[in-house]
Amino acid sequence: MNYNNYLKGSEWRKWDLHIHTPASFHWSGGKLFSDMNKKEKNDTLKVMYDTIENSDIAVFCIMDYWTFDGYLLFKEYIKENSFPLTKTVLPGIELRVEAPVNYRLNIHAVLSDKLTPQKLIDFKSKLTIRSIDRQISEEAIKEFARSLDASKAKIHGFNDPSTLGDNDLLKLGSMTRSEERRVGKECR
């Protein structure tokens, strides 16, 4: 964002800090990035770019579950195609956490767009799934899903985890309710 455009000091602007992409299991707009070929990914990223640029919203945050992949793909696409980005797009990550409540509890971390891809990866690597004592990764989320019993998987519309493929394990592990997963933050 070019702050020189706002010479009045304090000024109201619209922000949308909760945008999911096809990198998130919560995506409902069609295929996930993991199921797309290169052309489909590029077409989807172009639609994202056009939507952001043509919006009256000044600041967006890409807030995918458990990953910065959608943000990183978007930023790389912008760079590779030399598209001007006149809006601020921030990286975010949405986490489901253990809580002493009977409903789902999510945490949204909004980070600076000045962070490098490696710093985002480093941030994510400091988060752990305590029930399996592993740092968050796709592999760890799938391992967590495998640790669930069939009754817990059924709650989310899945068969016994021992029968699921990688994509379904990732989705199941990502969406499992807070009391079924314990996430701890190890960074200080």
Side-chain angles (χ1 to χ4, degrees):
M1 176 183 299
N2 184 351
Y3 293 100
N4 294 331
N5 292 337
Y6 303 101
L7 301 177
K8 292 191 239 178
S10 181
E11 183 174 317
W12 286 100
R13 290 183 294 281
K14 292 181 184 179
W15 288 31
D16 187 340
L17 299 180
H18 197 161
I19 304 297
H20 287 286
T21 74
S24 182
F25 87 88
H26 205 277
W27 178 252
S28 60
K31 286 183 176 180
L32 296 174
F33 279 137
S34 61
D35 298 327
M36 293 181 192
N37 62 39
K38 184 161 179 65
K39 181 183 181 331
E40 290 171 324
K41 279 184 188 175
N42 286 338
D43 290 347
T44 300
L45 291 164
K46 178 68 165 113
V47 168
M48 285 174 58
Y49 171 78
D50 290 342
T51 301
I52 287 170
E53 281 298 306
N54 294 320
S55 173
D56 65 342
I57 296 172
V59 178
F60 293 86
C61 182
I62 295 178
M63 186 66 65
D64 287 326
Y65 278 96
W66 307 106
T67 186
F68 294 112
D69 291 352
Y71 172 81
L72 294 172
L73 277 170
F74 180 73
K75 294 298 275 192
E76 186 61 28
Y77 175 79
I78 298 299
K79 182 178 173 184
E80 285 176 0
N81 291 283
S82 302
F83 289 147
L85 188 59
T86 62
K87 309 294 177 93
T88 298
V89 179
L90 302 169
I93 192 166
E94 186 166 359
L95 308 167
R96 290 208 171 160
V97 296
E98 177 185 31
V101 296
N102 62 357
Y103 51 85
R104 182 177 77 215
L105 183 64
N106 293 347
I107 290 178
H108 299 102
V110 177
L111 298 144
S112 170
D113 60 342
K114 305 297 184 234
L115 295 175
T116 65
Q118 186 59 54
K119 286 184 179 178
L120 294 174
I121 292 165
D122 292 347
F123 174 84
K124 183 178 162 185
S125 75
K126 299 294 183 186
L127 303 172
T128 62
I129 303 172
R130 291 189 305 164
S131 64
I132 60 170
D133 196 29
R134 289 205 48 199
Q135 287 147 336
I136 293 175
S137 66
E138 284 191 8
E139 183 177 297
I141 292 170
K142 290 177 210 174
E143 180 182 329
F144 169 73
R146 281 187 204 93
S147 74
L148 299 172
D149 64 35
S151 65
K152 295 210 189 282
K154 187 176 181 180
I155 290 170
H156 299 288
F158 290 90
N159 293 326
D160 186 312
S162 66
T163 68
L164 300 178
D166 281 349
N167 285 344
D168 283 338
L169 285 168
L170 185 59
K171 189 170 183 177
L172 173 61
S174 296
M175 67 192 306
T176 302
R177 289 177 30 179
S178 60
E179 60 269 340
E180 296 159 356
R181 176 197 338 254
R182 297 168 25 168
V183 177
K185 186 175 171 197
E186 299 296 330
C187 49
R188 306 213 186 250

